[in-house]
Amino acid sequence: MSTTTSANPTTNPHLRAWVEQVAGRTRPDRIEWCDGSEAERVRLTKLAVEQGILLPLNAEKRPGCYLHRSDPNDVARVEHLTFICSREKEDAGPNNNWLAPAEAYAKLGALFDGCMQGRTMYVIPYVMGPIGSPMSKIGIEITDSVYVVLNMRIMTRMGRAALEMLADSNDFNRGLHSTLDLDPEKRFICHFPEDNTIWSTGSGYGGNVLLGKKCLALRIGSYLGRREGWLAEHMLILGVESPAGETTYVAAAFPSACGKTNFAMMIPPESFPGWKIWTVGDDIAWMRIGADGRLWAINPEAGYFGVAPGTNTKSNRNAMACVERDTLFTNVALTDDGDIWWESIDAPAPEHLVDWRGNDWQRGSKEKAAHPNSRFTAPMANNPVLSPQANSSEGVPISAIIFGGRRSTTVPLVLQSFDWRHGVYLGATMGSETTAAATGQVGVVRRDPMAMLPFCGYDMGDYFAHWLAMGQRIPNPPKVFQVNWFRQDEGGRFIWPGFGENVRVLKWIIDRAAERIPGRETPLGFVPASGQIDLAGLDLSPAQFEAITAIDAPAWQAEFDLQEELFQKLARTMPSELIELRETLRGRLER
Ligand code: OXD
Ligand code: MN
């Protein structure tokens, strides 16, 4: 059967040749170049509904919203099937799975052979970052999934504008994806950093198939960042506006399930009047040194691919506003009146639902109605607190970088590093505790350096070295902090109230970053001096505050021992500077 093609909108010879080559291999019935227009959205949405890929939701309650149910065996990122295919195995590092490029191309190439017969091959030109920004990168994703096209529309700036920005350049990421038959045996996510190429097979799940996000913006992005002298990070970006109207920008890395999206959209409490948080991004930051010697950040994405369960008006009122319209929901539960539901949403569970698998669900059932990793894909334009700078091509100047984790003990509420190098150390040794629900063994600290363990596209020791080298090059670097909202008392209760109250800690951070207030020096860094964090209106005694800000020397000695495990794993490339720094910190603590 011969292939038909929608009007080819580009004269770019590199792009045309590559699309032809891919079509020659995958042999689709039809090639469709996506232009990003509204007419295209309407047409493809209608097609997805007709094919049962999307289910329209109640148009009055959720205008423009649809539900997708993925294959039950395809609901999450697959780290064990994710590979960095650098030419040299050592370049991928002990933190990544590795396949030789020739082997990966052959293996996935065989799967791609003829895989789009009877299907449409969509060509999606997209930009990660604001259109026209010198910090942005262009990708082309070729896919046979209309769900991918509709999600990429929300998550990226895509279509004609991306082609215009690309013009005749050969500098674009080549992403190729096919769902195949969703057989987990044929599921592979392969990154070829030296070729700026991503091949993904056998999955329809977001993190594996929306190739701009984790694959390009983080794995390939981190590789490009090292080569070109910038940073691609798993960080939210937010602006903190003070009552005086001054806005300070911070970037923050937290491992999964530590509330990054909530923090990025936080609403300060009424007892803290005049303060406002503006979201620039909720997941990824690309940061470069600006002409003024500061570090400037953009959010490469244009939407939020957020975890649904646990999102409610208390945890994140702004996210609830984002999903009121024009949102694609994946694997949430469906109410009898065509609305969505998930565990811990505001409304109690109704008597009857259709669960994420499409089965009837009755209140009281032991099964979860929504999948724990069910998601919403919502345009950032829906966010009531979207920063006016979210589309700025220069990005925003970062005054502070924050590393956080979930730690019931040891790590204080907030700690400022002595300098950049010590800040890199705090990020490199970041850890988070597993919960009982996840492992059965509570309180096991899992290291997730800079929240990048699943996303760093090269050797993690080399990545730390890149961070250290960046410190030498930034004339006016951001100040670096560590935070922990999760300290518990003897009864296992969280001591710090969290959520919007975290703005109190942010205020201290920005005051310190601006060098407006002195800190209290400890052997391990600066912590708030008494009275420096405003506790008015909080149900928190001075003793409790002391408990969550104190440095407990024996606990820290044990922590340094625990950090050794990560240093050992990365021994080949672990910068000696970080090892020496740990010994210095230990020594200071002993004295
Ligand atoms: C995400 C993740 O989906 O970090 O953002 O897994
Ligand atoms: Mn993430």
Side-chain angles (χ1 to χ4, degrees):
M1 172 160 194
S2 68
T3 305
T4 62
T5 308
S6 68
N8 181 341
T10 182
T11 52
N12 182 314
H14 316 286
L15 178 53
R16 288 177 75 127
W18 177 61
V19 169
E20 241 167 67
Q21 184 203 341
V22 170
R25 183 190 279 280
T26 59
R27 301 199 292 282
D29 280 10
R30 204 181 130 69
I31 300 174
E32 189 165 327
W33 290 79
C34 299
D35 62 12
S37 66
E38 178 58 15
E40 176 178 271
R41 187 190 65 77
V42 171
R43 183 170 47 78
L44 294 183
T45 303
K46 185 162 170 280
L47 180 78
V49 170
E50 282 163 10
Q51 294 182 351
I53 294 165
L54 292 183
L55 196 86
L57 294 170
N58 184 317
E60 269 161 35
K61 294 193 158 180
R62 301 272 159 196
C65 294
Y66 297 83
L67 168 63
H68 170 74
R69 294 195 189 107
S70 77
D71 189 296
N73 79 32
D74 186 30
V75 292
R77 284 190 289 103
V78 282
E79 283 169 24
H80 63 296
L81 301 173
T82 299
F83 296 85
I84 298 299
C85 309
S86 45
R87 274 177 222 134
E88 301 297 329
K89 180 174 186 188
E90 285 196 336
D91 291 343
N95 47 300
N96 283 303
N97 302 313
W98 177 82
L99 264 181
E103 192 185 336
Y105 281 131
K107 188 168 174 163
L108 275 70
L111 296 173
F112 280 127
D113 274 338
C115 73
M116 295 189 191
Q117 288 174 72
R119 300 185 185 188
T120 299
M121 177 176 115
Y122 297 96
V123 182
I124 314 170
Y126 65 96
V127 182
M128 296 311 287
I131 300 281
S133 166
M135 297 170 81
S136 296
K137 295 278 179 199
I138 295 171
I140 311 287
E141 176 164 356
I142 296 182
T143 177
D144 54 11
S145 160
V146 71
Y147 170 81
V148 168
V149 180
L150 292 169
N151 274 268
M152 287 293 281
R153 271 190 75 88
I154 299 176
M155 294 305 297
T156 72
R157 286 104 170 152
M158 62 84 88
R160 203 176 296 280
L163 284 185
E164 277 164 17
M165 187 171 157
L166 180 65
D168 276 346
S169 166
N170 192 21
D171 185 13
F172 60 92
N173 179 272
R174 287 157 162 81
L176 175 54
H177 164 248
S178 174
T179 54
L180 307 179
D181 53 3
L182 294 176
D183 177 355
E185 296 292 314
K186 300 181 199 149
R187 191 166 296 156
F188 302 99
I189 322 297
C190 291
H191 306 70
F192 305 86
E194 288 108 346
D195 301 341
N196 197 6
T197 291
I198 304 157
W199 280 14
S200 163
T201 54
S203 171
Y205 171 75
N208 302 327
V209 301
L210 307 179
L211 301 184
K213 193 176 178 65
K214 302 299 182 184
C215 301
L216 171 51
L218 289 177
R219 296 195 192 96
I220 298 281
S222 58
Y223 169 87
L224 294 175
R226 179 178 180 223
R227 201 175 69 185
E228 298 167 1
W230 52 282
L231 294 167
E233 300 302 327
H234 193 199
M235 289 182 180
L236 64 93
I237 309 166
L238 60 79
V240 193
E241 186 181 324
S242 72
E246 182 195 36
T247 303
T248 308
Y249 295 93
V250 310
F254 293 83
S256 319
C258 291
K260 211 144 95 259
T261 304
N262 298 347
F263 190 52
M265 300 181 186
M266 174 170 71
I267 301 177
E270 274 165 26
S271 55
F272 221 68
W275 290 81
K276 202 158 176 180
I277 301 299
W278 298 100
T279 318
V280 179
D282 80 323
D283 196 39
I284 299 174
W286 282 357
M287 302 191 282
R288 274 179 203 265
I289 304 166
D292 62 354
R294 290 189 292 173
L295 196 59
W296 288 71
I298 59 164
N299 167 19
E301 303 190 279
Y304 310 119
F305 183 65
V307 177
T311 307
N312 56 49
T313 350
K314 174 163 188 268
S315 66
N316 195 337
R317 174 143 50 91
N318 289 318
M320 291 306 287
C322 289
V323 303
E324 274 172 13
R325 59 182 60 248
D326 304 325
T327 296
L328 301 178
F329 295 94
T330 301
N331 294 339
V332 303
L334 177 70
T335 66
D336 290 346
D337 62 353
D339 200 1
I340 44 94
W341 191 88
W342 53 69
E343 280 70 19
S344 299
I345 201 172
D346 299 290
E351 200 66 47
H352 174 260
L353 290 165
V354 179
D355 73 9
W356 68 274
R357 289 188 166 89
N359 297 329
D360 283 317
W361 183 95
Q362 304 295 335
R363 185 160 60 212
S365 163
K366 285 196 180 56
E367 300 286 323
K368 299 259 189 240
H371 188 277
N373 191 35
S374 55
R375 297 279 175 152
F376 53 81
T377 317
M380 70 176 185
N382 283 6
N383 181 356
V385 298
L386 181 68
S387 165
Q389 299 305 316
N391 285 303
S392 148
S393 39
E394 302 85 60
V396 294
I398 299 297
S399 298
I401 288 177
I402 301 173
F403 294 114
R406 175 186 286 269
R407 299 294 299 269
S408 55
T409 65
T410 318
V411 178
L413 178 66
V414 58
L415 179 83
Q416 182 186 0
S417 71
F418 292 115
D419 53 24
W420 179 267
R421 189 172 59 124
H422 181 213
V424 174
Y425 181 89
L426 293 179
T429 55
M430 226 170 102
S432 210
E433 269 158 35
T434 51
T435 59
T439 64
Q441 203 184 356
V442 183
V444 177
V445 179
R446 201 180 285 154
R447 296 290 149 194
D448 185 359
M450 297 178 178
M452 281 289 277
L453 195 59
F455 305 120
C456 182
Y458 61 100
D459 186 297
M460 201 97 211
D462 290 336
Y463 167 77
F464 298 154
H466 175 49
W467 264 82
L468 291 169
M470 284 292 288
Q472 303 288 316
R473 295 182 42 226
I474 313 173
N476 190 2
K479 303 290 192 289
V480 185
F481 299 81
Q482 179 179 43
V483 299
N484 176 24
W485 318 133
F486 300 95
R487 283 291 283 264
Q488 291 177 11
D489 63 17
E490 294 78 37
R493 287 172 295 261
F494 292 116
I495 303 172
W496 179 252
F499 298 109
E501 307 296 350
N502 293 337
V503 73
R504 298 167 190 266
V505 177
L506 264 180
K507 178 179 182 309
W508 185 78
I509 287 175
I510 63 177
D511 281 342
R512 284 290 300 161
E515 298 178 359
R516 274 194 285 263
I517 54 170
R520 176 156 66 98
E521 189 171 343
T522 77
L524 301 185
F526 295 96
V527 298
S530 138
Q532 279 187 337
I533 290 198
D534 184 346
L535 301 176
L538 285 189
D539 186 16
L540 195 78
S541 69
Q544 281 176 310
F545 186 72
E546 181 56 29
I548 57 173
T549 46
I551 301 289
D552 174 350
W556 270 100
Q557 294 293 6
E559 171 72 11
F560 286 129
D561 290 341
L562 281 173
Q563 292 172 1
E564 179 65 21
E565 206 181 310
L566 171 81
F567 284 39
Q568 284 297 330
K569 190 173 170 208
L570 300 175
R572 193 183 70 85
T573 51
M574 190 72 193
S576 55
E577 273 177 79
L578 295 183
I579 298 169
E580 284 154 21
L581 180 57
R582 186 191 49 191
E583 292 318 307
T584 307
L585 293 169
R586 258 191 204 280
R588 292 179 59 127
L589 199 61
E590 269 159 25
R591 281 200 300 279

